[in-house]
Amino acid sequence: MANLKELAARGDKFTGGHRACAGCGATIVARQALLAAGDKPVVTTCATGCLEVVSTIFPYTAWDVPFIHSAFENSAATISGVEAAYQSLKRQGTVTEDIRFMAFGGDGGTYDIGLQALSGAMERGHNMLYICYDNQAYMNTGIQRSSATPKGSSTTTSPNGKKIPGKVQFRKNLTEIMAAHGIPYVAQSVVGNWSDFTKKVEKALAKGGPAFIAILQPCRLGWGYPPELTAELGRLAVETNFWPLYEVEDGQYKLNHTPKERQPIDEWMFQQERFRHLKRPEHQAIIAQIQQDIDARWEQLNKKCSL
Amino acid sequence: MSELKKYKELALGGNIEKGGTAVDFKTGDWRSSRPIYHPENCIQCLFCWVYCPDSAVILKDGKVTGFNLDHCKGCGICAHECPGKKKVKAITMEEEVK
């Protein structure tokens, strides 16, 4: 696994000059993923979303690798088609190079809209890596709720009002859904832990077969925090057990990080504008529910890891 | 803001002929504060480089030498992540003044 010096020697394949917000986490994901991919050629695609929109404004592109525009729902289908064509060309002897395939999608394009295409591609067993940069809402279109949005979060379609304080439902656990596909590699990582993420990308690409990584990506605009905290809030989400770092390799669960002392969830939530309304004393019960849900999920995960 | 290209300067059919052309687009004027580099406090951990969303930390032979202010949007992640030497940061943010 490459250390920072080795990564630096590889050179950036995702350039500056893109139009993301200052302090954007999605572009950190793209940069680090392409750095981790190494020197072998890689073909990428991206579902409609922040990352695609900010990086490919005509006549510029921030991608220094082959990149294919996809619609919102089909980045997994697109890259699986390219991979199938590559396998055929390789069999015919037209292509001899070893090429890797990577698809990016936000939580909207992965948890909701692209779930069918993703599930299909994983089941067909293509040699591809799908990276979901999960910023927990449809940030590109103006912060609408998605099934990745956590309970209590205020978005434009689940606003904090007099009767209902933010999103009512709990978050969907997509990583578990992907693990249920029985594919060779599924993992969860976070912006703010470069070594964990680049290791997992390297591992996933070396695995050969369908792989999926969900990476929690703090969004300074949608979450509402000062831009310099992007990496810090990612790490804090791990320390509160809200977003455990783990991987499922050939069906075997493995925890990659156990917090020395679990931080209470409000430590993380109250640094963000989207949860600000929950500071009011009448919403104590909601915080307790959220904490309970996190603890239950953590316990469940630990059971799976000790199997 | 970078100048928009005229149609005659674009490739036939509006093709983008190579990758990574976004480097020609300047986003530096979005910045409201700028990073200042203090090499004497730098331990070359490269955290600023790996977490920069705009690939704006300049490396020379694997060592940090400064910032590409044409692309830096002034988010301050570099200064926040910087461990510095003996807790004195090698990167500080300074407000842009006209």
Side-chain angles (χ1 to χ4, degrees):
Chain A
M1 303 287 157
N3 62 28
L4 269 181
K5 282 225 159 64
E6 288 157 355
L7 287 179
R10 288 174 183 174
D12 270 315
K13 291 189 186 113
F14 186 87
T15 68
H18 54 72
R19 263 51 94 69
C21 305
C24 176
T27 51
I28 302 179
V29 173
R31 256 193 85 204
Q32 294 185 354
L34 291 182
L35 282 169
D39 297 328
K40 284 189 185 157
V42 52
V43 177
T44 57
T45 185
C46 188
T48 303
C50 274
L51 184 59
E52 184 208 32
V53 168
V54 299
S55 62
T56 58
I57 297 177
F58 186 78
Y60 301 102
T61 172
W63 301 81
D64 207 2
V65 291
F67 175 86
I68 306 164
H69 263 278
S70 287
F72 217 146
E73 71 283 8
N74 63 357
S75 61
T78 303
I79 208 73
S80 67
V82 179
E83 194 265 352
Y86 159 76
Q87 295 295 358
S88 166
L89 289 173
K90 207 170 181 188
R91 271 197 301 277
Q92 295 166 40
T94 323
V95 178
T96 47
E97 267 179 302
D98 189 11
I99 302 177
R100 290 156 156 193
F101 300 90
M102 219 189 257
F104 293 88
D107 57 297
T110 310
Y111 280 69
D112 297 348
I113 299 176
L115 186 58
Q116 270 188 5
L118 175 62
S119 177
M122 293 289 141
E123 184 269 331
R124 290 191 299 274
H126 296 279
N127 185 10
M128 59 175 269
L129 165 63
Y130 191 102
I131 297 176
C132 170
Y133 62 98
D134 180 358
N135 49 31
Q136 308 202 311
Y138 290 82
M139 298 310 182
N140 177 45
T141 44
I143 316 160
Q144 287 86 16
R145 88 188 266 294
S146 75
S147 56
T149 308
K151 184 184 172 77
S153 174
S154 177
T155 68
T156 48
T157 46
S158 65
N160 164 43
K162 274 188 191 136
K163 299 265 183 218
I164 305 172
K167 191 186 170 188
V168 180
Q169 300 83 3
F170 284 107
R171 185 173 64 84
K172 178 157 93 188
N173 194 339
L174 181 68
T175 316
E176 286 301 304
I177 297 173
M178 298 322 293
H181 283 67
I183 54 177
Y185 193 77
V186 176
Q188 231 172 235
S189 189
V190 73
V191 170
N193 192 337
W194 67 268
S195 122
D196 181 79
F197 181 53
T198 54
K199 258 183 214 154
K200 281 172 179 169
V201 171
E202 282 182 50
K203 213 170 186 181
L205 287 173
K207 204 76 188 148
F212 174 85
I213 298 177
I215 172 161
L216 183 73
Q217 177 246 307
C219 166
R220 54 99 51 242
L221 188 72
W223 292 18
Y225 62 82
E228 68 267 22
L229 293 183
T230 298
E232 175 86 46
L233 278 181
R235 287 192 294 267
L236 192 54
V238 175
E239 294 304 312
T240 56
N241 287 346
F242 173 82
W243 190 265
L245 301 181
Y246 69 99
E247 59 190 353
V248 189
E249 209 178 337
D250 302 314
Q252 186 64 49
Y253 279 75
K254 189 182 163 206
L255 258 186
N256 304 115
H257 177 80
T258 310
K260 277 200 187 92
E261 200 179 329
R262 183 203 53 123
Q263 304 294 319
I265 189 63
D266 44 4
E267 196 97 341
W268 178 70
M269 286 165 79
F270 291 164
Q271 292 196 39
Q272 306 167 39
E273 281 288 304
R274 59 177 179 159
F275 293 117
R276 190 183 54 168
H277 54 280
L278 296 179
K279 280 181 191 166
R280 290 207 293 269
E282 66 262 36
H283 295 321
Q284 278 282 318
I286 297 175
I287 301 277
Q289 275 175 19
I290 294 170
Q291 186 67 69
Q292 215 175 0
D293 178 62
I294 288 168
D295 292 344
R297 285 187 198 216
W298 173 253
E299 205 171 302
Q300 231 172 21
L301 178 65
N302 268 289
K303 266 186 201 151
K304 283 179 186 160
C305 291
S306 58
L307 279 180
Chain B
M1 233 344 229
S2 310
E3 285 272 309
L4 278 180
K5 282 187 182 171
K6 302 278 187 309
Y7 79 95
K8 278 184 180 166
E9 296 168 318
L10 295 171
L12 199 64
N15 280 341
I16 302 175
E17 289 172 320
K18 57 180 174 69
T21 54
V23 284
D24 296 336
F25 191 85
K26 311 281 186 268
T27 50
D29 50 4
W30 297 16
R31 202 169 50 238
S32 60
S33 56
R34 66 165 64 202
I36 311 286
Y37 180 51
H38 311 285
E40 67 277 13
N41 298 331
C42 182
I43 56 166
Q44 299 294 350
C45 65
L46 303 187
F47 283 179
C48 54
W49 170 80
V50 79
Y51 287 121
C52 178
D54 295 294
S55 321
V57 178
I58 302 170
L59 296 187
K60 214 172 194 178
D61 304 325
K63 291 209 156 69
V64 178
T65 54
F67 304 100
N68 177 348
L69 294 177
D70 281 346
H71 291 151
C72 170
K73 294 169 187 156
C75 65
I77 293 181
C78 52
H80 188 83
E81 296 302 313
C82 179
K85 201 182 261 173
K86 293 179 186 154
K87 289 189 180 165
V88 186
K89 288 200 185 260
I91 304 172
T92 50
M93 299 303 286
E94 196 172 86
E95 207 173 326
E96 291 275 354
V97 276
K98 268 237 163 106

